[in-house]
């Protein structure tokens, strides 16, 4: 085999996606209603899914179209922090509410143990959605008892009712997914 | 070079056009006060002001723009409010060109020289995240910060292109901003040494690029469409003399921003007499509002 031939080539064009296709994993994992995604158009390019207002696009060569809302490089697909800051407030499950100290650590990009006293959203996923929720969930063999916390996978992290961003919840730990350049703490001044 | 004057001799040629020239020269060595814009795509003004107050952070709204705040804070970039995209750290006068552009709901806007997107994102919020703003930035290195700012600020109506603005291919647009690459003399208070590196020769070099950018912008605008040309420099070679090159295709409109002290554009420079219409351009000097420096022109395509 010649070098590189085994890699799936990622097409470097924006391919349109339907709103319902895009909304489905958000609906099944977070309970975000599909109509939250109306008024936008969606595209897939390389490792990302993009969202932009549904205005007609002129015939130009685009470098980006709106916001990257999902990273589809690995399974499960990962919602971006910036997209959760826009759409995450409509989430009804797989949420984590942090206190001040925990929020600080989360914004610094840290990993923390989420204790049983944590304010978690316990709602189990509706059974009818089970086929689709692999999008944001980890493999089901890691799934914990739904009454002890959120399902392993990506969660919407809140502090005082505001969305801070995306966290990865696994084995009782919350791992911050805040992008490096947007972390609080030791970053250089701008 | 003039190491004792910190390069301020390069300002001498503006002595006759800048009011209170000595104050203008003196303020160059004083650091710029911090400022930011409230990002209404993510938070309401009152909620943001409440947060800052709760944290005991001092701020004061500009007299001329209620979403602009002077901030008395050590490193505002590290504020949680900035990381979460509730505010954008932006120089006070950098908020002028989008207001002069005045985008309206339902319009399609082109920002021809966009990175890092301070003005793109302000335009986006003025359009309530609807319709479309094309943010053009040819430099690959500068696309990443442009995109990062749009994403942090929750912007969903901006598409990024990477054309050389001189040959950006297609319009028409309702409004176009040309925030041109320039010698940046108005940024001296933020980046000391900028003025010591400026010269008439360099300005004339930049002028060639600036004229072609503005000419293409006028070509891409709809008839009756608005084209705003701005720089953060004082050199008339990069300002009025650039605007002068398109006055056959577009007419200048006077700029009114109550509460911000500005000066009219110049209509004579280095022995040359220019069109009186150029008086409708606006020049903002650092000692008049305790800011940086900026030039803005508002053109209506014929
Ligand atoms: C003054 S900066 C723009 C600042 C930006 N409007 C903002 O408010 O954040 C000028 C930009 O023009 C870009 N530029 C340089 N040559 C250009 C060209 N030929 N066409 C379009 N843009 C160009 C530079 O890379 C730079 O990012």
């Amino acid at each position: 085999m010649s070098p590189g031939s085994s890699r799936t080539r990622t097409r470097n064009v924006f391919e349109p996606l339907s709103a319902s296709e895009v909304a489905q994993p958000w609906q099944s994992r977070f309970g975000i209603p599909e109509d939250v995604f109306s008024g936008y158009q969606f595209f897939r390019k390389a490792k990302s899914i993009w969202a932009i207002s549904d205005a007609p696009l002129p015939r130009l060569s685009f470098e980006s179209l709106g916001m990257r809302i999902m990273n589809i490089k690995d399974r499960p697909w990962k919602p971006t922090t910036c997209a959760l800051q826009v759409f995450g407030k409509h989430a009804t499950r797989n949420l984590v509410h942090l206190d001040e100290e925990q929020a600080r650590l989360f914004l610094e990009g840290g990993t923390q143990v989420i204790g049983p006293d944590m304010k978690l959203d316990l709602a189990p996923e509706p059974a009818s959605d089970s086929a689709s929720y692999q999008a944001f969930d980890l493999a089901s063999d890691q799934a914990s008892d739904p009454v002890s916390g959120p399902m392993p996978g990506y969660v919407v992290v809140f502090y005082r009712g505001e969305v801070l961003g995306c966290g990865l919840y696994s084995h009782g730990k919350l791992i911050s997914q805040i992008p490096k350049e947007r972390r609080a703490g030791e970053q250089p001044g701008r | 070079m003039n190491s004792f004057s910190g390069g301020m001799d390069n300002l001498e040629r503006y002595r006759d056009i800048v009011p209170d020239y000595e104050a203008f020269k003196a303020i160059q060595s004083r650091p710029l006060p911090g400022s930011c814009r409230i990002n209404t795509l993510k938070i309401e003004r009152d909620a943001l002001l409440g947060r800052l107050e709760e944290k005991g952070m001092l701020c004061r709204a500009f007299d001329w723009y209620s979403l602009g705040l002077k901030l008395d804070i050590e490193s505002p970039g590290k504020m949680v409010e900035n990381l979460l995209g509730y505010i954008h750290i932006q120089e006070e006068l950098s908020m002028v060109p989008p207001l002069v552009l005045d985008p309206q709901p339902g319009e399609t806007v082109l920002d021809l020289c966009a990175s890092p997107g301070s003005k793109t994102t302000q335009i986006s919020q003025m359009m309530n995240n609807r319709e479309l703003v094309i943010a053009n930035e040819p430099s690959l290195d500068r696309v990443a910060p442009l995109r990062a700012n749009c994403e942090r600020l929750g912007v969903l109506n901006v598409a990024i292109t990477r054309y050389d603005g001189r040959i950006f291919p297609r319009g028409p647009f309702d409004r176009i901003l040309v925030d041109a690459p320039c010698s940046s003399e108005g940024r001296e208070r933020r980046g000391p040494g900028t003025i010591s590196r400026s010269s008439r020769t360099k300005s004339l070099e930049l002028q060639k690029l600036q004229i072609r950018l503005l000419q293409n912008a006028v070509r891409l605008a709809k008839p009756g469409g608005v084209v705003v040309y701005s720089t953060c420099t004082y050199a008339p070679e990069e300002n009025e003399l650039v605007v002068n090159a398109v006055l056959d295709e577009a007419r200048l409109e006077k700029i009114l921003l109550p509460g911000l002290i500005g000066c009219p554009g110049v209509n004579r420079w280095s022995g040359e007499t220019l069109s009186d219409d150029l008086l409708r351009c606006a020049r903002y000097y650092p000692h008049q509002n305790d800011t940086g420096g900026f030039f803005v022109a508002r053109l209506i395509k014929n």
Side-chain angles (χ1 to χ4, degrees):
Chain A
M1 231 197 252
S2 63
S5 68
S6 61
R7 276 202 233 131
T8 18
R9 200 181 297 155
T10 45
R11 301 221 309 158
N12 222 24
V13 292
F14 287 96
E15 298 173 61
L17 291 174
S18 74
S20 56
E21 244 176 304
V22 173
Q24 194 194 33
W26 300 78
Q27 160 91 63
S28 59
R29 173 79 189 167
F30 302 120
I32 298 177
E34 188 175 328
D35 63 15
V36 165
F37 295 92
S38 66
Y40 303 101
Q41 48 192 327
F42 301 91
F43 298 88
R44 169 192 211 136
K45 184 190 174 188
K47 304 288 186 214
S48 296
I49 291 176
W50 305 68
I52 187 165
S53 60
D54 59 4
L57 296 172
R59 222 157 35 81
L60 295 167
S61 164
F62 293 107
E63 185 72 18
S64 72
L65 286 176
M67 174 189 280
R68 288 170 294 192
I69 61 163
M70 274 191 251
N71 184 326
I72 55 175
K73 190 165 143 219
D74 303 307
R75 287 278 171 166
W77 293 353
K78 179 176 158 180
T80 62
T81 276
C82 57
L84 284 180
Q85 287 175 354
V86 175
F87 303 112
K89 55 179 176 286
H90 304 285
T92 55
R93 53 178 177 262
N94 291 308
L95 329 171
V96 177
H97 294 272
L98 302 182
D99 66 25
E100 186 177 349
E101 183 55 26
Q102 292 167 324
R104 191 187 54 72
L105 187 59
F106 178 82
L107 287 173
E108 286 171 2
T111 295
Q112 52 196 309
V113 174
I114 294 295
D117 54 327
M118 272 302 306
K119 214 178 149 200
L120 296 171
D121 183 87
L122 308 180
E125 322 243 341
S128 60
D129 280 347
S130 58
S132 61
Y133 68 54
Q134 82 276 14
F136 293 145
D137 295 344
L138 295 184
S140 54
D141 59 355
Q142 292 180 26
S144 59
D145 176 359
V147 296
S148 69
M151 300 284 287
Y154 294 113
V155 291
V156 190
V157 178
F158 284 81
Y159 171 60
R160 284 173 49 164
E162 298 169 280
V163 177
L164 297 185
C166 178
L168 176 60
Y169 177 76
S170 171
H171 295 107
K173 280 189 188 142
L174 177 67
I175 306 158
S176 172
Q177 306 294 302
I178 299 270
K180 275 201 188 61
E181 67 279 6
R182 252 177 290 157
R183 289 179 190 165
E186 24 27 276
Q187 57 162 354
R190 323 186 316 139
Chain B
M1 249 204 320
N2 31 34
S3 51
F4 294 113
S5 63
M8 288 309 133
D9 292 357
N10 289 347
L11 292 179
E12 275 304 312
R13 65 193 197 105
Y14 307 136
R15 186 179 278 277
D16 291 341
I17 60 172
V18 180
D20 198 358
Y21 178 80
E22 292 307 325
F24 169 70
K25 204 167 138 180
I27 202 170
Q28 304 293 346
S29 56
R30 292 208 351 241
L32 199 60
S35 58
C36 73
R37 165 169 53 84
I38 302 174
N39 177 27
T40 52
L41 297 180
K42 281 198 160 179
I43 195 166
E44 282 174 18
R45 180 176 188 269
D46 286 349
L48 190 273
L49 293 178
R51 278 182 77 113
L52 297 185
E53 192 177 352
E54 195 183 327
K55 293 185 171 178
M57 291 175 170
L58 295 181
C59 69
R60 195 169 66 82
F62 304 161
D63 293 333
W64 57 277
Y65 184 40
S66 65
L67 298 180
L69 302 178
K70 299 224 190 226
L71 280 176
D72 191 9
I73 287 164
E74 190 62 46
S75 31
K78 290 186 188 163
M79 289 166 67
V80 172
E81 288 73 13
N82 185 52
L83 299 170
L84 293 178
Y86 298 166
I87 59 169
H88 180 64
I89 307 303
Q90 184 174 357
E91 209 270 293
E92 176 162 349
L93 293 180
S94 160
M95 300 180 214
V96 168
L99 294 188
V100 173
L101 189 68
D102 193 24
Q104 301 294 315
E107 291 184 333
T108 308
V109 176
L110 171 63
D111 185 354
L112 196 62
C113 310
S115 185
S118 292
K119 300 180 192 72
T120 307
T121 54
Q122 188 180 351
I123 293 166
S124 163
Q125 91 177 48
M126 293 173 78
M127 296 172 71
N128 297 321
N129 232 352
R130 304 305 315 169
E131 296 307 319
L132 189 63
V133 182
I134 305 288
N136 182 67
E137 172 56 54
S139 153
L140 185 58
D141 287 352
R142 293 178 60 91
V143 166
L146 170 61
R147 181 158 53 211
N149 278 324
C150 288
E151 290 185 333
R152 178 177 55 87
L153 295 166
V155 166
L156 282 152
N157 60 348
V158 169
I160 301 176
T161 57
R162 274 193 57 214
Y163 295 99
D164 181 332
R166 292 170 286 195
I167 51 170
F168 187 98
R170 242 182 295 282
F173 292 93
D174 297 291
R175 300 189 194 236
I176 303 178
L177 174 62
V178 184
D179 188 40
C182 69
S183 56
S184 306
E185 292 164 322
R187 288 176 52 93
E188 175 72 20
R189 297 179 69 190
R190 253 174 89 177
T194 317
I195 287 172
S196 72
R197 289 187 296 271
S198 73
S199 69
R200 180 163 187 271
T201 317
K202 284 187 186 164
S203 290
L204 287 172
E205 205 46 53
L206 282 159
Q207 183 189 77
K208 294 182 201 151
L209 170 63
Q210 291 157 339
I211 288 180
R212 289 195 54 197
L213 289 170
L214 183 56
Q215 283 173 335
N216 196 30
V218 170
R219 178 183 77 86
L220 294 166
K222 286 182 184 164
V226 181
V227 177
V228 170
Y229 177 80
S230 59
T231 71
C232 56
T233 211
Y234 308 117
E237 291 82 358
E238 298 181 55
N239 294 324
E240 287 85 348
L241 285 163
V242 172
V243 173
N244 193 53
V246 300
L247 290 183
D248 285 341
E249 290 93 52
R251 68 189 156 83
L252 278 164
E253 275 191 347
K254 200 169 153 66
I255 291 165
L256 290 170
L257 285 174
L260 185 67
I261 304 168
C263 294
V266 300
N267 60 347
R268 49 179 59 223
W269 182 244
S270 49
E272 219 187 317
T273 303
L274 308 163
S275 163
D276 281 346
D277 291 353
L278 292 166
L279 296 168
R280 296 182 194 146
C281 302
R283 294 181 150 260
Y284 299 99
Y285 295 117
H287 56 306
Q288 297 188 306
N289 305 285
D290 194 11
T291 56
F294 242 86
F295 171 90
V296 189
R298 178 179 155 102
L299 292 150
I300 309 295
K301 183 177 175 171
N302 296 338

